Amino acid sequence: GTPEDKDAKEVAAAIAKANDLTEAGKASEALAGLRPLRERFRGTAHGAAVDAAWEAIAVRFVRVLDGFDRQGDVAGWQALNGKAEWNAQADRVKSGAGSLRWETAPGEMTGVLGSSPHADWSGYAWLSFWVHSEKQGYSIEVRAQSGAQDALSHVQPVDGTGWKHVRVRLDKMRTMGKPDLKNVQGLGLMAYQPPAGAVLFVDELRL
């Protein structure tokens, strides 16, 4: 057969193996097996097929890191130059019974920091959350920390008001140091030069 036929057979076999591993409860191993093919065939029809298989596996293993549905859920979050508290006001909750109310502070940097309730992120593809802001014209950064100098980071412009869904691929996040997805120790949200009185509500933080 042609090289194209050989590639097609290789991709089909890899996807079948990944699906079998997933059914056996080994999603992390399945995704690891597809990763080299995603890189190799990126931007091609074969790459699209591998991406689709990856997404189908990853989406079945969504894990809620924090839904903020109980008042105690915010106990693990600490404010840096601001205030973090539980909110039950219905129009500031995206899903469930509550959200995290994050009151920023004037100045260059303000944030909320939480410990990760699930340290091993290696089998997941996405990090997502909902954020509500009544002010705009600034940026927030989400950072997954696995060591003092090791993290994955994503900066998101706050370019509108109301609820916004932030969803970022873990493998597209900016690398700082040598982050280890098997040992995520903390998660932080930082706001850079927010306007005076900016208050954000965060909900449905999940992988």
Side-chain angles (χ1 to χ4, degrees), residues 12-28:
I15 290 173
K17 181 180 179 181
N19 288 333
D20 288 343
L21 285 168
T22 301
E23 292 303 323
K26 300 177 180 179
S28 181

Side-chain angles (χ1 to χ4, degrees), residues 134-151:
E134 294 177 351
K135 301 194 176 188
Q136 56 184 317
Y138 62 108
S139 296
I140 58 173
E141 177 190 8
V142 56
R143 186 181 294 185
Q145 205 88 21
S146 56
Q149 305 297 325
D150 308 311

Side-chain angles (χ1 to χ4, degrees), residues 31-183:
L31 294 175
L34 291 177
R35 190 172 290 117
L37 291 179
R38 294 184 75 212
E39 295 300 324
R40 184 171 144 205
F41 293 111
R42 190 176 297 280
T44 69
H46 292 319
V50 175
D51 281 346
W54 173 288
E55 300 296 350
I57 293 169
V59 77
R60 293 173 57 184
F61 292 89
V62 169
R63 180 179 291 268
V64 176
L65 296 174
D66 215 327
F68 303 108
D69 289 332
R70 299 183 305 272
Q71 190 164 0
D73 289 345
V74 302
W77 290 82
Q78 295 182 334
L80 175 68
N81 300 330
K83 185 187 293 184
E85 59 190 5
W86 189 61
N87 165 72
Q89 185 180 330
D91 63 347
R92 296 293 182 269
V93 174
K94 185 62 185 177
S95 179
S99 64
L100 172 68
R101 183 182 185 273
W102 168 18
E103 184 177 322
T104 66
E108 190 169 323
M109 186 175 72
T110 178
V112 283
L113 308 172
S115 59
S116 173
H118 181 63
D120 186 355
W121 292 15
S122 59
Y124 299 91
W126 299 88
L127 174 64
S128 69
F129 59 95
W130 286 90
V131 61
H132 182 287
S133 177
E134 294 177 351
K135 301 194 176 188
Q136 56 184 317
Y138 62 108
S139 296
I140 58 173
E141 177 190 8
V142 56
R143 186 181 294 185
Q145 205 88 21
S146 56
Q149 305 297 325
D150 308 311
L152 290 174
S153 167
H154 172 72
V155 175
Q156 178 72 38
V158 181
D159 51 11
T161 58
W163 285 106
K164 181 167 186 174
H165 192 214
V166 178
R167 189 168 184 255
V168 58
R169 295 186 66 95
L170 293 174
D171 60 2
K172 299 292 187 185
M173 293 177 74
R174 184 166 65 96
T175 300
M176 305 167 68
K178 295 180 179 179
D180 181 4
L181 281 177
K182 291 189 175 182
N183 186 33

